[in-house]
Amino acid sequence: MNIIERISSWLNRPVTVDPSEELLKALPPPTSDAPEPNAMQVNPTDVANAFMMDDIAAGAESHRGLDYEQLRAMSAIPLVAAILQTRINQIAEFAQPCMDGDDIGFQIRLKDRGEVPSEEDLVTIQDIYSFMQSCGDDRIDFESNFEGFLRMLVRDSLMFDQACFEIIRSRNGQVSGFMNVDSGTIRRSKMSETEKKAGKRDPEGTHFVQVVGNKVRAEFGAKELCFGIRRPRSQLKYRGYGFPELQECIGILTNLLNAEVYNASNFTNGISVSGIVAVKTKMHPQLFRAFRREFYAMLSGSHNAKKTPLIQLDPDNNEDLKALNLSQSNAEMEFEKWMNYNIRQLCAIFQIDPMEVGFNFGEVGVKSTLNQRDPSEKVLMSKEKGLRPLLRAIESWLNKYVVNELDDRFELVFTGMDITPPEKQLDMDVKKVAAFMTVNELRAAYDMEPLEGGDVILNQVAAATMITKPQEPQDA
């Protein structure tokens, strides 16, 4: 029997056992030790660290190319700051509870979508809502709230690709709250000699440390701190650290800053000269210098920019000076196109449309506004590419470290991304009653009373077909 026949016979065999039972049998019993992977998580020869800070530098900074302070400085560049703040404001809109899932916010629901929540489940859901809004026990930090938590978490994630928050537990091990941690101070911990030889970390050991002032101030286990990475890499040399967008933007930001410096230099001292003034006179040199000082006082620009040179020529010796245009136009090097090209590149890396941060470039290659798409479509596509993955990452972190620890039957989901705008919903309703729905069927969808004579489709062809349709003969 060849491989195709064996696969066909296997697919056609009768199922005598519940697949879920087979899956449970394949899993190890809860009382046994957890299985361990065979693959290495780090390169033992690359972990030549005799001190904690050596491990920190090797894992977090030297391999990545930029340290945390450099990334903070890059995030303060105006265009980058605008991109980050736009995403932060968009995420903050999801910080309010949305129990029915019909608006922008977050919803707590059962993981089993086929299960109907009981009265006890509804009480638990309300408790989780209150827990999330206050970030846990009010006594931990009375000023903390879910919106502030999301804003800080998103900023750290977009700067470092490392979003960290601590899970605070009570003495009995229950989750009491969660709070932001300065992600720029969190590093992966130094590995023990046993872990180095094995090439992997001990699941029950210390996984993360907080470094302040070049000293380790706190230690965290795997379940005590979320080390959220949106863009993970499997290479051993990166050792579990993220890949921030700013790392990819070094060249682009350098180009933008150089172009801005070039343009701003036109307004600084002595950089650009518009022309030369030649005076033919036998004036005494001392008197000419006095005249030149007065001339400069009248014509010098702001900060002595574009200062005009003044030269004295002897008319008897027939001295002359040719007119030379010493100023250059930025259009000669396509300055605007160069700036726009770099702005588009930067926005592409951050998965955001330039229109969201105030740059409307229009359609590429389309010069007529009549042929351009609706700008709202571009913004929606931008959110699909950049905002939705960011929300999904935050969902996974909160569910894994918080909601599942409270009650693993529930999950947190962000809602509102797929809501149809009112004007588009109205347009869809008009098309429905003109195609396959009657007016009363549509009114029933909105819990409205039926209209007399409303059991018709607002379509002339369909209405004519219904009227001219021959009736079936009734039985005598």
Side-chain angles (χ1 to χ4, degrees):
M1 182 182 295
N2 57 27
I3 184 64
I4 298 178
E5 292 175 347
R6 289 202 299 269
I7 294 175
S8 300
S9 63
W10 184 83
L11 292 175
N12 295 326
R13 67 177 182 176
V15 179
T16 58
V17 182
D18 187 359
S20 61
E21 294 182 4
E22 291 187 351
L23 179 62
L24 292 176
K25 290 180 181 179
L27 296 175
T31 56
S32 65
D33 296 333
E36 296 183 359
N38 293 325
M40 288 189 174
Q41 298 173 348
V42 295
N43 186 355
T45 60
D46 190 38
V47 187
N49 51 339
F51 184 61
M52 176 70 67
M53 296 306 299
D54 295 334
D55 182 50
I56 292 167
E61 297 173 359
S62 62
H63 288 310
R64 189 169 60 187
L66 295 174
D67 60 31
Y68 291 87
E69 294 305 318
Q70 289 173 328
L71 292 174
R72 289 187 196 274
M74 292 175 66
S75 68
I77 297 174
L79 182 56
V80 177
I83 294 174
L84 267 58
Q85 193 60 49
T86 298
R87 282 288 181 247
I88 291 171
N89 290 340
Q90 290 172 346
I91 295 292
E93 293 292 323
F94 293 86
Q96 298 301 319
C98 181
M99 301 179 185
D100 54 4
D102 293 335
D103 202 355
I104 296 178
F106 71 95
Q107 182 185 24
I108 304 298
R109 67 185 188 187
L110 287 167
K111 291 181 180 178
D112 186 356
R113 304 303 299 141
E115 183 180 355
V116 178
S118 62
E119 293 294 333
E120 294 181 356
D121 292 337
L122 295 177
V123 173
T124 303
I125 289 175
Q126 293 298 328
D127 292 340
I128 297 178
Y129 274 125
S130 301
F131 186 92
M132 298 303 297
Q133 284 187 283
S134 60
C135 297
D137 194 337
D138 288 340
R139 295 173 296 179
I140 298 175
D141 186 358
F142 183 76
E143 297 180 355
S144 63
N145 58 75
F146 194 47
E147 180 178 344
F149 169 82
L150 288 180
R151 286 181 178 274
M152 289 185 279
L153 190 72
V154 172
R155 183 176 294 278
D156 285 352
S157 180
L158 294 177
M159 279 198 300
F160 312 124
D161 190 19
Q162 181 176 311
C164 301
F165 62 90
E166 182 182 359
I167 296 86
I168 304 169
R169 299 179 182 272
S170 59
R171 292 183 178 179
N172 59 4
Q174 298 296 321
V175 175
S176 299
F178 57 97
M179 63 185 302
N180 296 97
V181 178
D182 183 359
S183 300
T185 64
I186 301 299
R187 309 288 189 274
R188 291 192 175 275
S189 63
K190 176 184 176 181
M191 298 182 67
S192 64
E193 293 299 327
T194 304
E195 290 175 327
K196 292 178 187 177
K197 293 179 181 179
K200 61 193 70 174
R201 293 183 178 274
D202 181 6
E204 302 299 328
T206 300
H207 282 222
F208 312 102
V209 295
Q210 184 177 32
V211 179
V212 180
N214 292 332
K215 293 184 179 180
V216 176
R217 302 293 184 178
E219 298 180 352
F220 305 92
K223 297 182 179 180
E224 297 172 348
L225 182 119
C226 171
F227 194 81
I229 302 297
R230 289 180 296 107
R231 308 173 72 198
R233 294 171 288 182
S234 61
Q235 292 97 318
L236 296 180
K237 68 176 184 178
Y238 297 119
R239 299 159 65 187
Y241 285 93
F243 186 37
E245 288 87 351
L246 292 174
Q247 173 70 28
E248 294 183 271
C249 297
I250 297 176
I252 299 172
L253 292 176
T254 302
N255 292 337
L256 284 171
L257 293 176
N258 288 337
E260 289 183 355
V261 170
Y262 170 82
N263 193 47
S265 64
N266 288 283
F267 307 98
T268 57
N269 184 22
I271 296 297
S272 179
V273 177
S274 297
I276 297 177
V277 176
V279 180
K280 289 187 177 183
T281 178
K282 292 185 177 180
M283 188 183 304
H284 190 274
Q286 185 176 0
L287 182 60
F288 180 79
R289 286 194 294 270
F291 167 74
R292 184 168 56 185
R293 286 195 297 270
E294 185 176 356
F295 176 82
Y296 285 159
M298 291 187 297
L299 296 184
S300 294
S302 175
H303 300 288
N304 288 328
K306 295 184 180 292
K307 191 173 182 179
T308 304
L310 187 64
I311 187 172
Q312 182 181 12
L313 302 177
D314 189 354
D316 294 339
N317 294 330
N318 199 21
E319 294 179 348
D320 193 11
L321 182 69
K322 293 182 179 180
L324 299 175
N325 184 14
L326 301 181
S327 64
Q328 293 183 355
S329 173
N330 292 336
E332 296 178 1
M333 51 181 272
E334 300 295 346
F335 181 79
E336 182 179 2
K337 291 184 178 180
W338 172 246
M339 292 289 290
N340 293 344
Y341 169 72
N342 284 284
I343 291 173
R344 284 193 175 101
Q345 276 193 312
L346 181 64
C347 292
I349 291 177
F350 277 96
Q351 298 290 285
I352 187 172
D353 193 274
M355 187 177 296
E356 291 196 62
V357 290
F359 294 94
N360 186 7
F361 296 119
E363 296 289 341
V364 178
V366 179
K367 298 182 179 180
S368 175
T369 57
L370 298 177
N371 298 328
Q372 293 186 6
R373 293 182 300 174
D374 185 3
S376 61
E377 295 182 5
K378 298 174 64 177
V379 174
L380 180 61
M381 186 181 300
S382 171
K383 292 182 179 180
E384 288 289 333
K385 292 193 303 180
L387 181 60
R388 189 183 290 273
L390 184 55
L391 286 171
R392 188 165 57 246
I394 298 174
E395 276 183 11
S396 63
W397 300 334
L398 291 175
N399 283 322
K400 180 177 181 179
Y401 290 95
V402 180
V403 179
N404 288 351
E405 295 291 329
L406 297 174
D407 194 325
D408 59 3
R409 297 180 303 119
F410 298 92
E411 64 178 356
L412 179 145
V413 292
F414 291 110
T415 63
M417 279 290 293
D418 300 318
I419 295 177
T420 305
E423 60 275 6
K424 291 190 176 182
Q425 183 63 48
L426 179 60
D427 184 59
M428 292 172 57
D429 291 341
V430 172
K431 292 180 179 179
K432 287 178 182 178
V433 296
F436 59 89
M437 287 184 69
T438 65
V439 175
N440 284 340
E441 288 174 342
L442 182 61
R443 290 177 64 86
Y446 288 95
D447 296 329
M448 301 173 67
E449 295 292 334
L451 297 175
E452 184 177 355
D455 296 323
V456 294
I457 299 176
L458 300 181
N459 184 293
Q460 295 181 357
V461 177
T465 303
M466 295 175 62
I467 294 175
T468 58
K469 182 178 179 181
Q471 297 182 356
E472 298 180 358
Q474 299 181 354
D475 296 336

